[in-house]
Amino acid sequence: MTAAPQSLATAHEALLSDRAAGIKQSAVRDVFELSLDPSLVSLAGGNPFLQLLPLEKIAQLTSRIITEQGPEALQYGSGLGTAELREQIIEVMAAEGITNVTVDDVVVTNGSQSAQDMACKVFCNPGDTVLCEDPTYVGALNTFEAYQVAARPVGTDDNGLIPDALRERIRELRAAGEHIKFLYTIPNFNNPSGITLAAERRQEIVEICREEGILILEDNPYGMLRYEGQAAPTLRSLDPENVIYMGSFSKIFAPGLRIGWAAVPTHLFRRFYLAGEAVALCPPTLNQMIISAYLNEHDWKGQITKYNDLYRSRRDAMLQALAQYLPAEVSYTRPEGGFFIWLTLPQGIDTYELLQQGVKAGVIFIPGAAFSPSGQADNKLRLAFCSVDEATIAEGVQRLSGLLSSAIEANGR
Amino acid sequence: MTAAPQSLATAHEALLSDRAAGIKQSAVRDVFELSLDPSLVSLAGGNPFLQLLPLEKIAQLTSRIITEQGPEALQYGSGLGTAELREQIIEVMAAEGITNVTVDDVVVTNGSQSAQDMACKVFCNPGDTVLCEDPTYVGALNTFEAYQVAARPVGTDDNGLIPDALRERIRELRAAGEHIKFLYTIPNFNNPSGITLAAERRQEIVEICREEGILILEDNPYGMLRYEGQAAPTLRSLDPENVIYMGSFSKIFAPGLRIGWAAVPTHLFRRFYLAGEAVALCPPTLNQMIISAYLNEHDWKGQITKYNDLYRSRRDAMLQALAQYLPAEVSYTRPEGGFFIWLTLPQGIDTYELLQQGVKAGVIFIPGAAFSPSGQADNKLRLAFCSVDEATIAEGVQRLSGLLSSAIEANGR
């Protein structure tokens, strides 16, 4: 490390962009380092449980790709993604009931995070507004901040976005002179709340946005990770012309390959994909070819069933432990899929402070504030049940419950 | 594909950001599809010749990583990159004479393209100015356009940037009220010109920028691909506090992994890396682990020597063919390294039109206009000698020369 003279550091401060001040570390990443301490029970990270993957098989097919097609796999590729993977993505979406996308409308992205960046690049000026759930994905909020976009929450209940609240919010924000560009939504098993948008509301949400000339950015990484109940139609399947759909292989296969995709309305496609090309030229070719071979040669739907059987047990273990140990003052969601449960504590308890105590007590989680565009989630927190086994979940929830009981007692004084 | 009703398409036009209009397809990508036609000789793409890589060995080490460390290799990682690769990057930079970077100042990126995106995100407001060579890397120009930044060329000659011209340009732009954020430069074997910044100018360039409070963004993907002559010190080695250095594994190993890095002055590091995290969370873990194992287990410097021996022969073959076939009215550069030679035709010949004729004549190249921030390179073009063999290079140059002779004749009429 080299310490710059004060004068130079000051000169550099003056070079910073207006947006630089808004680019922050995500709270999820804050606890990333912490979560590597093996003495702690981490209920923090939404890491899929990759030990279930057929590693030998993936190793073999990857080895074959490099040996037989190395000069292609290790070379630059198209900014759109490989032709084969784009075709296969059509089939993956079909498995979620999306049958109105053609291969020309699909672009492969560096995880679905980068599709959010692309959407902001194409649609958002500084000062623009996007609508979202509260709470919502912290990575999306960080992207919005990096683009100096105001993320305005829309009213939700246990069934997700409330159509009348959406209508009212649009009216109110427009009356205040705001420019609303899109609704960002995670309709299935929201991260962090676990809540799913009710099937009977979906058509209405889609119609409101179309009528109002507001795009929908549908983020659906968890859609196929459903442990009970009936899948509702994706928003994209209800309106192919006004919905940009973001999918990901991170949860149904493996996040370390950093491959996602977007399905974009035809008339917006070219602008959208060029925004990605300007950032990273093309997604990594080898990674796309690994996924293609995996989809071709492995029972990938059966693999999702395996994942789901495991995650269902872990969710059940967490719900059971919460019911058994949690103080009565704490309420929580009961997700039908995905990775997360959202806890609400009595007002006045700050879960960010609680995290510091959690580290001492041997359990970590993500404080709620990071997920809240309104900043009104200090008394909430996110638990992930995806990455540790049932016994560890029970142990973690027990430790957390002790902590919460003390905090509630102290808060009541 | 689904055709949206005109009213919706119009509504969506109104949603576009101001920057969206400036996001364009790179000319290099334009010819990417063309270059796949085997009947054409492509002197267009700067694709490294990966057939030289030890593919069996890479296949084996990759297979081992997935088998033995799969749950880590396929999982999310740190936004900084893996600890091991960051350490190794210090050694790679040392091989270029850069010894003033510590691991804490290194962030792994999605190719060095994304480091450019990060720099613009952190430093550039719409309307700001960056300085650059003319011609310069088209991908950088695209990034600048996406951030609505004016790319202002600084005078160069056969020895690269001219210090006095840099001083004068800064004075002139500031007098006109422009906010100059950084100098973007490719000091070694510029893409597309092949020109290298003379050793004796480097200290002065570095001092001017420091005195003027302008950062330097040093893009050095080709530095180790030198086929003759003496390496000059990198700008980063001359000023660790005012230079952001961008390195890449794309040319010294393989571009399809999409892994590069930035070495950032300590006091700017956190802002810089968070800008990348907001775009793509983290670089792909597997790809980083492949590179780490490759660096550990393969004679990677010997591999660069192998690459260089091949590229030197190809460069020589191209220079020889140009000397033999090219009309006397065409001048060209003689690079000591890198991938590219830059041709200057008589004024009045448009190389974009020439490309269309080239496709018919069976040879493709990149028209010069795309690389020029001043837009004054219509009569120039870029040839790449890296990806085809000597005989094919000779054939391609012969085809091109016929085309140029006709164009010059027609132009003279």
Side-chain angles (χ1 to χ4, degrees):
Chain A
M1 298 217 230
T2 37
Q6 197 50 46
S7 59
L8 195 70
T10 308
H12 289 163
E13 281 293 316
L15 295 180
L16 293 174
S17 66
D18 295 340
R19 75 176 77 75
I23 300 175
K24 293 186 290 202
Q25 176 126 5
S26 113
V28 176
R29 311 299 295 185
D30 274 339
V31 296
F32 181 84
E33 299 294 325
L34 274 180
S35 69
L36 302 174
D37 177 345
S39 77
L40 294 179
V41 172
S42 174
L43 304 177
N47 290 358
F49 191 73
L50 303 179
Q51 285 80 351
L52 281 194
L53 284 174
L55 295 176
E56 282 290 346
K57 192 182 245 182
I58 298 168
Q60 279 165 26
L61 61 87
T62 303
S63 171
R64 190 194 65 222
I65 289 167
I66 296 174
T67 307
E68 296 177 5
Q69 300 169 276
E72 178 190 347
L74 299 171
Q75 191 58 272
Y76 291 112
S78 164
L80 297 168
T82 66
E84 184 177 18
L85 185 58
R86 293 170 75 206
E87 291 281 1
Q88 290 170 312
I89 283 168
I90 300 294
E91 290 164 48
V92 173
M93 285 192 287
E96 291 215 65
I98 305 171
T99 55
N100 57 11
V101 179
T102 62
V103 69
D104 291 333
D105 297 335
V106 172
V107 56
V108 181
T109 62
N110 289 298
S112 72
Q113 184 78 28
S114 79
Q116 288 164 24
D117 183 80
M118 289 153 83
C120 287
K121 226 178 193 113
V122 173
F123 296 108
C124 295
N125 291 319
D128 279 350
T129 294
V130 300
L131 304 173
C132 60
E133 285 127 8
D134 185 2
T136 190
Y137 174 52
V138 59
L141 291 176
N142 286 350
T143 303
F144 300 148
E145 283 211 60
Y147 281 86
Q148 301 166 269
V149 168
R152 304 296 189 196
V154 172
T156 56
D157 58 20
D158 289 350
N159 289 311
L161 291 167
I162 304 166
D164 282 343
L166 174 60
R167 258 191 215 97
E168 176 55 22
R169 192 70 161 134
I170 293 170
R171 200 198 53 72
E172 170 192 309
L173 291 168
R174 285 191 169 154
E178 298 201 15
H179 296 281
I180 308 169
K181 294 304 181 79
F182 55 76
L183 166 68
Y184 168 76
T185 177
I186 310 164
N188 296 318
F189 325 123
N190 173 293
N191 173 2
S193 76
I195 286 174
T196 292
L197 177 61
E200 61 276 15
R201 291 185 181 175
R202 296 190 173 210
Q203 184 67 44
E204 196 175 351
I205 295 287
V206 153
E207 280 169 11
I208 293 169
C209 288
R210 175 183 271 255
E211 277 161 22
E212 298 289 346
I214 293 169
L215 279 163
I216 293 176
L217 201 59
E218 179 179 29
D219 191 5
N220 191 28
Y222 310 102
M224 284 198 261
L225 276 55
R226 173 174 279 281
Y227 317 133
E228 64 183 77
Q230 197 63 39
T234 63
L235 305 183
R236 164 76 202 197
S237 68
L238 298 176
D239 189 349
E241 293 157 0
N242 199 47
V243 179
I244 297 174
Y245 179 87
M246 301 191 295
S248 174
F249 288 103
S250 291
K251 312 308 188 293
I252 61 172
F253 179 29
L257 298 171
R258 308 304 305 124
I259 298 290
W261 71 89
V264 185
T266 308
H267 61 288
L268 295 170
F269 183 77
R270 188 176 158 84
R271 286 194 188 274
F272 192 88
Y273 106 83
L274 287 178
E277 196 175 281
V279 174
L281 289 186
C282 61
T285 320
L286 175 64
N287 305 31
Q288 297 177 73
M289 290 172 78
I290 292 173
I291 293 177
S292 283
Y294 172 84
L295 293 173
N296 281 334
E297 297 168 35
H298 185 63
D299 174 13
W300 64 273
K301 291 183 191 173
Q303 180 69 37
I304 295 175
T305 304
K306 258 190 212 169
Y307 270 139
N308 286 354
D309 289 344
L310 179 95
Y311 295 140
R312 183 186 302 107
S313 300
R314 291 181 172 186
R315 178 203 59 168
D316 292 345
M318 185 171 276
L319 286 174
Q320 197 188 326
L322 291 170
Q324 186 172 351
Y325 299 115
L326 219 55
E329 295 88 342
V330 181
S331 63
Y332 53 90
T333 56
R334 286 163 186 79
E336 293 190 325
F339 285 173
F340 307 111
I341 293 178
W342 184 239
L343 271 59
T344 301
L345 284 54
Q347 289 286 350
I349 300 182
D350 183 340
T351 55
Y352 198 84
E353 282 172 26
L354 207 65
L355 176 63
Q356 316 305 319
Q357 299 165 37
V359 172
K360 286 175 209 155
V363 60
I364 60 174
F365 50 84
I366 312 282
F371 301 98
S372 175
S374 67
Q376 292 173 351
D378 289 350
N379 64 324
K380 302 180 188 216
L381 64 86
R382 187 190 81 177
L383 297 182
F385 53 78
C386 48
S387 49
V388 288
D389 64 31
E390 285 85 341
T392 311
I393 286 173
E395 174 62 30
V397 169
Q398 216 172 338
R399 292 181 190 178
L400 176 68
S401 298
L403 209 63
L404 292 180
S405 297
S406 309
I408 290 167
E409 199 187 332
N411 189 51
R413 266 189 228 126
Chain B
M1 298 217 232
T2 37
Q6 198 49 45
S7 59
L8 195 69
T10 307
H12 289 164
E13 280 294 315
L15 294 180
L16 293 173
S17 67
D18 295 339
R19 76 176 75 77
I23 300 174
K24 293 187 291 204
Q25 175 125 4
S26 116
V28 177
R29 311 301 297 188
D30 273 341
V31 296
F32 181 86
E33 298 294 325
L34 272 180
S35 70
L36 302 175
D37 177 345
S39 76
L40 295 179
V41 172
S42 174
L43 305 176
N47 290 359
F49 191 72
L50 303 179
Q51 285 80 351
L52 282 194
L53 285 174
L55 295 176
E56 282 288 345
K57 193 183 246 184
I58 298 167
Q60 278 165 27
L61 62 86
T62 303
S63 170
R64 190 194 65 223
I65 290 166
I66 296 174
T67 306
E68 296 178 7
Q69 299 168 278
E72 178 190 347
L74 300 171
Q75 191 57 272
Y76 292 112
S78 164
L80 296 168
T82 66
E84 183 176 18
L85 185 59
R86 292 170 75 205
E87 292 281 2
Q88 290 170 312
I89 284 169
I90 300 295
E91 291 164 47
V92 173
M93 285 191 286
E96 292 215 64
I98 306 171
T99 55
N100 57 12
V101 179
T102 63
V103 69
D104 291 333
D105 297 335
V106 172
V107 57
V108 180
T109 61
N110 289 299
S112 73
Q113 184 78 29
S114 78
Q116 289 164 23
D117 183 80
M118 289 152 82
C120 287
K121 221 172 199 123
V122 173
F123 297 109
C124 296
N125 291 320
D128 279 349
T129 294
V130 300
L131 304 173
C132 60
E133 287 127 6
D134 184 3
T136 189
Y137 173 51
V138 58
L141 291 177
N142 286 350
T143 302
F144 299 149
E145 283 211 61
Y147 281 87
Q148 302 167 272
V149 168
R152 304 295 189 196
V154 172
T156 56
D157 59 21
D158 289 349
N159 289 311
L161 291 167
I162 303 167
D164 282 343
L166 174 59
R167 258 190 216 96
E168 176 55 23
R169 192 68 160 136
I170 293 170
R171 201 199 51 73
E172 170 192 309
L173 292 169
R174 286 192 169 155
E178 299 202 14
H179 296 281
I180 307 170
K181 293 304 180 80
F182 54 76
L183 166 67
Y184 169 77
T185 177
I186 310 164
N188 296 318
F189 325 124
N190 172 293
N191 173 3
S193 75
I195 286 174
T196 292
L197 178 60
E200 62 274 14
R201 290 184 181 177
R202 296 191 174 210
Q203 184 67 44
E204 195 174 352
I205 294 287
V206 154
E207 281 169 11
I208 294 169
C209 288
R210 176 183 270 255
E211 278 162 21
E212 298 289 348
I214 293 169
L215 279 164
I216 294 177
L217 200 59
E218 179 178 27
D219 191 5
N220 191 27
Y222 309 104
M224 285 200 258
L225 277 55
R226 173 175 279 280
Y227 317 134
E228 65 183 78
Q230 197 64 38
T234 62
L235 306 182
R236 165 77 202 197
S237 67
L238 298 176
D239 189 348
E241 292 156 0
N242 199 47
V243 179
I244 296 174
Y245 178 88
M246 301 190 294
S248 175
F249 288 104
S250 290
K251 312 307 189 293
I252 62 173
F253 179 29
L257 297 171
R258 309 305 305 121
I259 298 291
W261 71 90
V264 185
T266 308
H267 61 287
L268 294 170
F269 183 77
R270 189 178 156 82
R271 286 195 187 274
F272 192 87
Y273 105 81
L274 287 179
E277 197 175 281
V279 174
L281 288 187
C282 61
T285 320
L286 175 64
N287 306 33
Q288 297 177 75
M289 291 173 78
I290 292 173
I291 294 177
S292 283
Y294 171 84
L295 294 172
N296 281 335
E297 298 169 34
H298 185 63
D299 175 13
W300 64 272
K301 290 182 190 172
Q303 179 70 37
I304 294 176
T305 305
K306 256 189 214 171
Y307 270 140
N308 285 354
D309 289 344
L310 180 94
Y311 295 141
R312 184 186 301 106
S313 301
R314 291 181 173 185
R315 179 203 58 167
D316 292 346
M318 185 172 277
L319 286 173
Q320 197 187 326
L322 290 171
Q324 186 172 350
Y325 300 116
L326 220 55
E329 295 87 343
V330 181
S331 62
Y332 53 91
T333 56
R334 286 164 186 79
E336 294 191 324
F339 284 173
F340 307 111
I341 293 178
W342 183 240
L343 273 58
T344 301
L345 285 55
Q347 289 286 352
I349 299 181
D350 182 340
T351 55
Y352 198 86
E353 282 172 26
L354 208 65
L355 176 63
Q356 316 306 321
Q357 298 166 37
V359 172
K360 284 177 210 152
V363 60
I364 59 174
F365 52 83
I366 312 281
F371 301 97
S372 176
S374 67
Q376 291 172 353
D378 289 349
N379 63 324
K380 301 179 188 219
L381 63 87
R382 187 190 81 175
L383 297 182
F385 53 78
C386 49
S387 49
V388 288
D389 64 32
E390 285 86 339
T392 311
I393 287 174
E395 174 62 30
V397 170
Q398 216 172 337
R399 292 180 190 177
L400 176 68
S401 298
L403 210 61
L404 293 180
S405 298
S406 309
I408 290 168
E409 201 188 330
N411 189 50
R413 266 190 227 126

